[in-house]
């Protein structure tokens, strides 16, 4: 849930990025500013956030939370022509800036995109109003509560024993859309009514037709590329049948292949992605 007070009770300034929706004080000139134009962010040349003072005084700001204790604000700008900074997509930013900055940038994109697409009540068509202290809106006519929602997606690093005397193998796949040259992990969105674990088993079954076991949670990452408000949950698993080969449908995936952990391809997911963290952790764990 969002942080209603904006700051934790401790006296020390909080480290890193903390999401929030505090409007109890107006933006100060030195606060962080994250203008969003289309699907891009305006940042300083080094990818760090601009300051509120850099933008026109009549800018309409939306609270995002704090970065190392400094409040951060987003705004939706139709055109970046007369504004300072450089327009960047989230992927190029995340590749360059420290993780808390990437998380803040991702939240700015998610919040602004959500506000664009949640202006009217879906039940009675009245215009929604902002709820103080929350990233949520309410319908003044019928009372409908409209919080910003997250989509959950899972991804899984599946391994199996290698040939006798050789390293374990990792299953990597190539997608039909997006960065098609990349060797990635099996991944997919969680359906309503489904657990994360069940989603892993279903996606692996659908995408490569393999049964897996020894499913273990690895970690999570907010993701700002594949739409607003996506949370990726990473898992590791073992192939239930070490001799089974993957079968792809040719539509979502074009290829799936076992790679020795000592002979992974060079075209792996970027260093800022949980896909890569999972792959690297799998390689490290098998070396021990
Ligand atoms: Zn309504």
């Amino acid at each position: 849930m969002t942080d209603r007070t904006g700051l934790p009770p401790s006296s020390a300034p909080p480290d890193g990025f903390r999401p929030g929706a505090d409007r109890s004080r107006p933006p100060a000139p030195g606060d962080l500013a994250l203008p969003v134009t289309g699907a891009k962010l305006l940042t300083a040349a080094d990818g760090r956030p601009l300051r509120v003072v850099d933008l026109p005084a009549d800018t309409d700001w939306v609270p995002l939370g704090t970065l190392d204790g400094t409040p951060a604000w987003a705004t939706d700008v139709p055109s970046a022509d007369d504004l300072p900074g450089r327009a960047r997509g989230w992927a190029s930013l995340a590749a360059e800036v420290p993780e808390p900055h990437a998380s803040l940038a991702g939240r700015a994109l998610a919040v602004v995109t959500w506000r664009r697409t949640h202006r009217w009540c879906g039940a009675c068509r009245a215009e929604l109003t902002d709820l103080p202290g929350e990233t949520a809106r309410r319908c003044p006519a019928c009372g409908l509560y409209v919080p910003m929602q997250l989509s959950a997606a899972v991804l899984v690093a599946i391994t199996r024993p290698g040939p006798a005397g050789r390293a374990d193998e990792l299953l990597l796949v190539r997608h039909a859309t997006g960065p098609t040259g990349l060797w990635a992990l099996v991944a997919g969105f969680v359906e309503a009514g489904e657990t994360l674990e069940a989603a892993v088993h279903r996606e692996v079954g659908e995408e490569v037709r393999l049964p897996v076991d020894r499913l273990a949670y690895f970690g999570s990452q907010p993701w700002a590329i594949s739409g607003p408000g996506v949370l990726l949950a990473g898992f590791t698993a073992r192939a239930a049948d070490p001799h089974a080969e993957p079968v792809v449908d040719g539509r979502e995936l074009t290829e799936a292949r076992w790679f020795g952990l000592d002979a992974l391809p060079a075209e792996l997911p970027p260093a800022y992605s949980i896909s890569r963290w999972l792959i690297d952790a799998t390689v490290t764990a098998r070396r021990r």
Side-chain angles (χ1 to χ4, degrees), residues 23 27 32-35 51-53 55-57 59-63 73-75:
R23 287 178 185 268
L32 304 176
L34 292 97
R51 300 283 169 166
V52 164
V53 70
L55 278 289
T59 299
D60 184 21
W61 295 107
V62 181
W73 306 82
T75 188

Side-chain angles (χ1 to χ4, degrees), residues 100-124:
H101 286 257
S103 298
L104 172 62
R107 179 165 168 86
L109 287 166
V111 168
V112 167
T113 308
W114 171 76
R115 292 173 64 85
R116 275 182 204 149
T117 53
H118 293 77
R119 292 177 57 198
W120 313 98
C121 177
C124 80

Side-chain angles (χ1 to χ4, degrees), residues 42-146:
L42 294 179
T43 71
D46 63 0
R48 305 292 174 117
L50 299 168
R51 300 283 169 166
V52 164
V53 70
D54 299 329
L55 278 289
D58 61 352
T59 299
D60 184 21
W61 295 107
V62 181
L64 296 174
T66 59
L67 184 70
D68 295 332
T70 303
W73 306 82
T75 188
D76 194 358
V77 292
S79 161
D81 288 349
D82 299 320
L83 296 177
R86 183 179 154 207
R88 308 272 305 267
W90 185 78
S92 85
L93 258 185
E96 195 177 306
V97 299
E99 186 277 324
H101 286 257
S103 298
L104 172 62
R107 179 165 168 86
L109 287 166
V111 168
V112 167
T113 308
W114 171 76
R115 292 173 64 85
R116 275 182 204 149
T117 53
H118 293 77
R119 292 177 57 198
W120 313 98
C121 177
C124 80
R125 309 183 198 181
E127 186 160 14
L128 299 174
T129 55
D130 286 318
L131 278 174
E134 293 185 50
T135 307
R137 290 178 153 176
R138 191 181 293 285
C139 175
C142 77
L144 184 75
Y145 177 65
V146 186

Side-chain angles (χ1 to χ4, degrees), residues 136-280:
R137 290 178 153 176
R138 191 181 293 285
C139 175
C142 77
L144 184 75
Y145 177 65
V146 186
M148 190 171 86
Q149 289 173 326
L150 282 176
S151 298
V154 291
L155 62 171
V156 56
I158 305 165
T159 51
R160 72 173 184 181
R166 301 282 306 278
D168 277 6
E169 295 179 329
L170 172 69
L171 184 74
L172 294 173
V173 301
R174 274 184 158 156
H175 288 89
T177 56
T180 52
L182 219 57
W183 285 101
L185 299 175
V186 170
F189 282 98
V190 180
E191 295 284 345
E194 189 175 49
T195 63
L196 297 173
E197 293 82 355
V200 172
H201 287 290
R202 179 181 52 75
E203 285 289 344
V204 175
E206 287 174 4
E207 293 197 354
V208 292
R209 298 195 204 166
L210 290 178
V212 294
D213 56 22
R214 291 165 61 186
L215 194 60
Y217 177 70
F218 171 80
S220 62
Q221 182 185 27
W223 193 246
I225 292 178
S226 41
V230 175
L231 181 66
L232 298 176
F235 290 83
T236 56
R238 287 293 264 183
D241 174 359
H243 304 293
E245 293 300 325
V247 178
V248 299
D249 62 6
R251 287 181 297 118
E252 198 167 344
L253 298 183
T254 57
E255 240 180 312
R257 199 193 294 173
W258 294 106
F259 288 91
L261 286 174
D262 55 357
L264 293 181
E267 304 86 7
L268 290 176
Y272 60 83
S273 67
I274 189 172
S275 300
R276 185 56 172 275
W277 306 341
L278 257 168
I279 293 169
D280 290 349

